[in-house]
Amino acid sequence: MQKIPTNSTSPAKAELPLDFTGPHITAGASSAHRLYQALCEVIVSGLVKSGEPLPPSRILAKQTGFRRNAVVTAYERLIADGFAEATVGSGTFVAAQIPARATAPKKPKVIIEAPRQGALALGCTHIDERAVQRFRAFVGRRMRAFGAEHLHYGDPRGSRELRVAIADHLLSARGLRCDPDHIMLTSGTLHTLRIVLGAILKANDQIWCEDPGYPVARRTIAQCGYRTVPTPVDRHGLQVALGRAAAPSARAAYVTPSHQFPLGVQMSMSRRLELLDWAKQAGAFVFEDDYDSEFRYDGAPLMSLAGIDRLQRVIYMGTFAKTLFPGLRIGYCALPERLIGDVTAARAALDRFPGTLMEGAVADMLNAGAFAANLKRVRKLYREARDALAETLEAASDGALSVPMPSQGLHLVAQFDPSVAPSVAAEAKQAAGAEGWLLAETYARARPLPGFVLGFSGHPVPRLVAAAERLARASRTALRSRGRSARRA
């Protein structure tokens, strides 16, 4: 038998993770054959790497309980089949190139689509360089003063220091007065939904969801085992009367009242009061997703639902994903007092408590005014990006698209005439290679409007303008090519 020299100086493995019960083992086979199959499995699966030494036969015999001659026979077969190499005086090693087994099962190919980040994509942000420098300094200071709070399990609600800073921010920015003990830190809005829903609702309970609305939240709610009830939205926000008619026994409602996703409308005060009245009468709760509320460009914002309700029936949800950056993975919710015990217990059972390393640095950003300064600077950038995107879409589409100017938020909607089929928008988006969403993707049951949901935050203005021009041209072309067939029946 040809001996292939090896330069490996690694010590022999004292013990191998051999499996003698799996599907790779032939029941009733000899000890040597079963040992050979088990050794092949750990080699082919990568548990031992090419060039690594295999245990001496005496040690492997002791580990497995097989006779030494069975181990020697198994090693000889490994060498003969190309799975191992031997050098006299040095030992037996995994071969440099391992032959594939014909019977080896093919690993399923897992395809995970990465989030889109090109111009017009939603969810992109910008953080001012001065804010980055301040954040680095705060993180460095916190790490240098590394404390005992990182060495044990903490409060399921998160650090009190950050909760106090968030409470101060909510009072000044959203008119929401709440005790820091009513705030819980999470990794984001969807995490908040999972924790709180699991604490206060039962499986198959109904939840009103805006239609059109945020499809990711809708999927999360459904995946948690609750029944979503698509509830139409008009220019005043969620239509409470239609929600009552469709699901009078619903136990909760999920809404985006300050800047409805995707249409951008503000829920009117009368509609807000109507929703709160329903929640009180039905003993239900309202999840207020106040995303992007900090990015308001015109006029004063309406008070938050939770501020009007004084945290009786409203669960307020916010996040630092857009106001700082998504990589923080820090969100928060403000809870009615009656829910704190149950929600805290649910959090402790789910993942015990949030991460502590970044909490102090975020609290420093809020307390030192660096958070507010960053918002002021990026708000100006986003306003310029919004204006450039809206103007380009309307001008370059030659009237094919109408673009209501949003007074708040980080996206806008560009619509065709309602008589146009939604498939025209899909055709134009594909032809332009555009990011963003189709407006039709945000509908659950209602008849979708034709158009696009386009992000303008976190993108350089020249790239936004170029992407908008391509989409506008493709929209004109799709509309012309479809002609009368583009019209709804």
Side-chain angles (χ1 to χ4, degrees):
M1 183 180 301
Q2 182 183 10
K3 300 295 191 291
I4 303 176
T6 176
N7 295 323
S8 173
T9 58
S10 302
K13 287 184 177 294
E15 188 168 307
L16 291 177
L18 298 175
D19 177 9
F20 292 99
T21 61
H24 55 281
I25 299 295
T26 301
S30 66
S31 298
H33 186 65
R34 287 184 285 122
L35 178 57
Y36 165 79
Q37 290 175 319
L39 287 166
C40 281
E41 184 66 22
V42 297
I43 292 172
V44 172
S45 64
L47 293 176
V48 288
K49 308 296 183 183
S50 295
E52 287 189 356
L54 295 171
S57 58
R58 184 180 291 104
I59 292 177
L60 189 57
K62 185 177 180 180
Q63 174 192 337
T64 60
F66 295 151
R67 293 181 181 276
R68 190 179 176 190
N69 62 351
V71 177
V72 172
T73 300
Y75 274 5
E76 288 176 346
R77 185 170 174 188
L78 284 177
I79 294 168
D81 289 348
F83 289 101
E85 301 168 349
T87 301
V88 176
S90 297
T92 305
F93 300 81
V94 178
Q97 293 187 345
I98 301 168
R101 290 184 303 174
T103 57
K106 291 183 179 180
K107 292 184 178 180
K109 188 175 182 180
V110 179
I111 299 175
I112 300 177
E113 186 176 352
R116 305 289 183 139
Q117 298 179 347
L120 305 180
L122 281 71
C124 299
T125 60
H126 172 83
I127 183 169
D128 185 79
E129 183 57 34
R130 283 164 287 188
V132 173
Q133 292 173 359
R134 296 293 301 278
F135 187 74
R136 285 198 190 106
F138 291 137
V139 171
R141 190 185 74 179
R142 291 285 176 162
M143 290 301 294
R144 288 190 295 273
F146 192 91
E149 69 273 15
H150 305 305
L151 303 178
H152 54 73
Y153 297 111
D155 189 324
R157 295 168 299 177
S159 79
R160 181 171 177 81
E161 181 182 14
L162 181 51
R163 289 188 282 118
V164 168
I166 290 172
D168 291 342
H169 167 69
L170 292 178
L171 179 60
S172 62
R174 301 299 290 128
L176 173 56
R177 185 182 299 276
C178 63
D179 191 298
D181 288 340
H182 295 188
I183 293 173
M184 181 177 69
L185 304 181
T186 67
S187 65
T189 299
L190 301 181
H191 189 211
T192 298
L193 276 173
R194 286 183 175 276
I195 294 171
V196 181
L197 285 171
I200 69 175
L201 298 189
K202 298 177 182 178
N204 291 318
D205 276 350
Q206 293 177 308
I207 301 176
W208 295 354
C209 292
E210 296 165 327
D211 190 16
Y214 187 37
V216 182
R218 197 161 53 220
R219 287 195 295 268
T220 296
I221 292 168
Q223 192 178 61
C224 289
Y226 308 105
R227 289 184 291 163
T228 60
V229 180
T231 307
V233 173
D234 63 14
R235 62 190 180 90
H236 299 293
L238 180 122
Q239 299 186 60
V240 178
L242 296 182
R244 286 180 183 267
S249 60
R251 303 300 302 152
Y254 168 82
V255 293
T256 53
S258 295
H259 179 239
Q260 200 276 332
F261 186 92
L263 300 181
V265 300
Q266 277 195 342
M267 185 181 287
S268 66
M269 184 57 71
S270 61
R271 196 67 63 80
R272 290 169 185 245
L273 296 175
E274 186 182 3
L275 179 61
L276 294 177
D277 184 59
W278 162 78
K280 183 177 180 180
Q281 291 178 6
F285 291 95
V286 177
F287 287 83
E288 179 182 13
D289 186 347
D290 206 28
Y291 85 107
D292 295 352
S293 63
E294 292 89 350
F295 298 104
R296 185 161 185 85
Y297 310 108
D298 305 293
L302 289 173
M303 182 182 289
S304 65
L305 268 178
I308 300 170
D309 177 61
R310 298 184 180 179
L311 281 179
Q312 297 299 306
R313 286 283 165 185
V314 176
I315 296 115
Y316 179 94
M317 302 187 296
T319 174
F320 293 104
K322 307 292 179 55
T323 52
L324 287 174
F325 51 92
L328 276 174
R329 301 305 298 140
I330 297 180
Y332 53 89
C333 62
L335 299 163
E337 185 174 8
R338 72 187 78 189
L339 299 182
I340 293 171
D342 289 341
V343 172
T344 302
R347 172 59 182 278
L350 183 65
D351 61 357
R352 297 195 102 165
F353 72 111
T356 58
L357 280 175
M358 291 297 167
E359 291 177 341
V362 175
D364 290 340
M365 288 288 286
L366 288 163
N367 294 331
F371 177 80
N374 178 65
L375 281 182
K376 183 177 180 180
R377 290 190 287 265
V378 299
R379 190 183 292 122
K380 181 181 178 182
L381 293 177
Y382 293 165
R383 179 199 291 270
E384 293 171 355
R386 176 202 66 172
D387 294 349
L389 177 58
E391 291 167 5
T392 302
L393 286 169
E394 289 197 326
S397 69
D398 196 23
L401 294 172
S402 63
V403 187
M405 188 72 79
S407 61
Q408 181 173 305
L410 304 178
H411 78 271
L412 54 74
V413 171
Q415 285 184 231
F416 290 96
D417 185 275
S419 64
V420 173
S423 57
V424 173
E427 181 180 326
K429 184 174 182 293
Q430 183 177 14
E435 304 285 5
W437 293 3
L438 293 171
L439 187 53
E441 293 178 282
T442 67
Y443 284 81
R445 185 178 298 165
R447 194 179 193 185
L449 292 171
F452 314 99
V453 184
L454 307 172
F456 54 79
S457 63
H459 304 297
V461 170
R463 292 184 187 175
L464 277 178
V465 169
E469 288 175 341
R470 289 194 300 270
L471 183 59
R473 288 195 299 268
S475 296
R476 294 199 319 264
T477 301
L479 206 54
R480 285 197 304 266
S481 66
R482 298 291 291 272
R484 292 187 178 181
S485 65
R487 303 291 167 178
R488 293 176 188 256

